[in-house]
């Protein structure tokens, strides 16, 4: 068993050394300079969403902010123009990051849902139908501090 594991590990590192540099050349940085501020540590979540009120499709990216008491952000990029905008400039205090983004459709319509990390009041779930205006939809029992 150890021989198989070590053999696989050697093969993996050989592939990374041989082909690793060619993989990195296939990526292009597209992030917004504001999103890339030193306090935004992670692009924690990404999701494509086309609001029903708009025919444009956007890539939404949720970030985590390293500064305690500061908020994570949600930025979106118009996939046609590649222009970015922060859609949460007034995000709820202490939402340290946006950990999950998903598009879900129910009887209320198609919406983008965002799950946040909040170490003060507990996690929150938000929803937006138009890609900008949001409402809290999480249950009150979510709003407890478990740290």
């Amino acid at each position: 068993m150890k021989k198989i594991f070590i053999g696989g590990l050697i093969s993996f590192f050989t592939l990374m050394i041989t082909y690793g540099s060619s993989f990195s050349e296939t990526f292009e940085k597209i992030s917004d300079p504001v999103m890339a501020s030193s306090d935004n540590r992670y692009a924690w979540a990404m999701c494509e969403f086309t609001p029903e009120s708009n025919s444009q499709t956007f890539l939404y990216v949720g970030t985590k902010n390293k500064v305690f008491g500061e908020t994570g952000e949600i930025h979106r990029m118009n996939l046609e123009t590649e222009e970015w905008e922060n859609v949460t400039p007034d995000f709820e205090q202490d939402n340290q990051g946006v950990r999950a983004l998903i598009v879900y459709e129910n009887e209320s319509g198609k919406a983008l849902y965002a799950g946040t990390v909040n170490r003060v009041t507990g996690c929150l779930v938000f929803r937006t139908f138009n890609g900008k205006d949001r409402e809290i939809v999480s249950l009150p029992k979510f709003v407890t501090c478990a740290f």
Side-chain angles (χ1 to χ4, degrees):
M1 182 71 167
K2 273 187 170 179
K3 287 182 181 181
I4 293 172
F5 175 74
I6 292 171
L9 201 55
I10 291 170
S11 297
F12 172 75
F13 284 117
T14 303
L15 283 170
M16 289 305 297
I17 290 168
T18 306
Y19 298 106
S21 63
S22 65
F23 291 140
S24 66
E25 293 172 7
T26 62
F27 286 94
E28 173 187 347
K29 181 180 174 181
I30 61 168
S31 60
D32 181 23
V34 174
M35 185 189 333
S37 77
S38 61
D39 292 337
N40 284 326
R41 288 297 193 197
Y42 306 103
W44 252 0
M46 284 192 267
C47 188
E48 181 180 297
F49 178 57
T50 306
E52 291 182 357
S53 61
N54 190 331
S55 62
Q56 295 174 317
T57 301
F58 297 91
L59 172 66
Y60 287 80
V61 178
T63 66
K64 178 189 184 295
N65 193 302
K66 74 170 185 161
V67 179
F68 186 77
E70 293 296 320
T71 62
E73 300 166 338
I74 299 175
H75 294 255
R76 73 178 185 181
M77 180 184 74
N78 182 315
L79 293 179
E80 292 176 14
T81 65
E82 294 190 358
E83 292 180 10
W84 287 91
E85 70 178 309
N86 181 351
V87 296
T88 56
D90 59 343
F91 215 24
E92 282 69 8
Q93 186 65 27
D94 298 318
N95 281 322
Q96 194 171 7
V98 179
R99 189 66 173 111
L101 291 169
I102 187 169
V103 176
Y104 182 72
E105 187 169 2
N106 61 17
E107 63 277 353
S108 299
K110 183 175 76 168
L112 175 65
Y113 289 79
T116 66
V117 172
N118 191 316
R119 294 202 170 132
V120 175
T121 61
C123 64
L124 296 171
V125 178
F126 296 88
R127 143 176 97 188
T128 177
F129 292 100
N130 66 8
K132 284 187 155 185
D133 301 321
R134 63 191 176 280
E135 62 182 332
I136 297 174
V137 294
S138 53
L139 298 172
K141 68 180 181 179
F142 277 19
V143 186
T144 58
C145 187
F147 297 98

